[in-house]
Amino acid sequence: MGEKIVLPAGAPERVELEAGGWTVVARSFGAKLDADRIDHARLSALVSRAAGPVRELDAGDVDAVLRLDAVTADDYPGSIATQHEPLDRSTAMPSDSRRAFGAFATDGPLVAMTYVDVDGAAAETGFTVVHPGARRQGLGVAVKAASVLQLVADGVARFRTGGSLENTGILRANDALGYVRDEEWVTLERR
């Protein structure tokens, strides 16, 4: 594996790098959502479609979070721009500045989660993941919608998210919530 660089997709130096033998190996995006553009009824409906409970996670959920994180550790497409560092007890612990929301199966286990870093009136999604056996049921959308609704109620006005452009599930989830993609990045590798 060669050296890698992450650049905005439209960066002028990209042309020179590609001409010099660098290759695009991954694409990623950033997206925004402003609180005044949120359709609260729609987001509430997305949360209510989950078969089991969807709620904010707390210290009592850390073991379940670590189990789900371990099961999904290899599920992050893309490259260095979208890598996920495996959680440990400390990084799995929700706090006032690192909020977490989860969806549970009707028989109890945590099957989807999203972590959001909050700084005053701004919030940025760290990651969202769904258990392989529970995908395509709207759970990623449900946990992201729950996070947005709760954080807006707590005073957050601006949301950011991002990820790999290869991850069609998260792209659909973000579209359903009203996020607008406003940046694209490329990861270039010199082989």
Side-chain angles (χ1 to χ4, degrees), residues 25-99:
V25 294
R27 296 177 186 278
S28 56
F29 71 93
K32 67 178 179 177
L33 177 63
D34 294 324
D36 61 358
R37 293 190 57 245
I38 293 169
D39 182 341
H40 293 267
R42 177 167 171 66
L43 270 58
S44 294
L46 293 170
V47 173
S48 68
R49 290 183 190 153
V54 177
R55 64 170 174 80
E56 188 159 4
L57 301 176
D58 59 32
D61 298 306
V62 169
D63 288 334
V65 164
L66 291 172
R67 282 191 295 273
L68 181 56
D69 191 58
V71 168
T72 59
D74 295 327
D75 292 349
Y76 294 86
S79 187
I80 58 175
T82 56
Q83 286 179 339
H84 170 71
E85 292 295 323
L87 299 174
D88 59 28
R89 291 200 80 71
S90 173
T91 56
M93 183 67 66
S95 68
D96 289 343
S97 63
R98 186 168 166 83
R99 308 279 290 271

Side-chain angles (χ1 to χ4, degrees), residues 10-21:
E13 60 268 35
R14 176 181 170 188
V15 174
E16 291 176 30
L17 288 166
E18 288 184 276

Side-chain angles (χ1 to χ4, degrees), residues 42-191:
R42 177 167 171 66
L43 270 58
S44 294
L46 293 170
V47 173
S48 68
R49 290 183 190 153
V54 177
R55 64 170 174 80
E56 188 159 4
L57 301 176
D58 59 32
D61 298 306
V62 169
D63 288 334
V65 164
L66 291 172
R67 282 191 295 273
L68 181 56
D69 191 58
V71 168
T72 59
D74 295 327
D75 292 349
Y76 294 86
S79 187
I80 58 175
T82 56
Q83 286 179 339
H84 170 71
E85 292 295 323
L87 299 174
D88 59 28
R89 291 200 80 71
S90 173
T91 56
M93 183 67 66
S95 68
D96 289 343
S97 63
R98 186 168 166 83
R99 308 279 290 271
F101 297 81
F104 294 81
T106 54
D107 59 352
L110 178 67
V111 291
M113 63 184 172
T114 191
Y115 272 67
V116 183
D117 296 313
V118 179
D119 183 8
E124 180 152 356
T125 303
F127 67 92
T128 304
V129 69
V130 179
H131 188 284
R135 294 192 178 137
R136 293 175 185 75
Q137 299 174 30
L139 298 175
V141 175
V143 295
K144 285 193 84 161
S147 73
V148 168
L149 289 169
Q150 183 59 59
L151 294 173
V152 164
D154 293 346
V156 172
R158 291 176 310 281
F159 294 85
R160 299 248 358 125
T161 194
S164 170
L165 280 169
E166 299 168 38
N167 187 341
T168 57
I170 206 63
L171 292 170
R172 283 193 304 268
N174 291 335
D175 290 345
L177 297 175
Y179 277 93
V180 176
R181 275 179 265 165
D182 61 353
E183 49 186 58
E184 184 178 332
W185 297 77
V186 291
T187 301
L188 297 156
E189 182 176 64
R190 180 167 50 195
R191 299 182 193 259

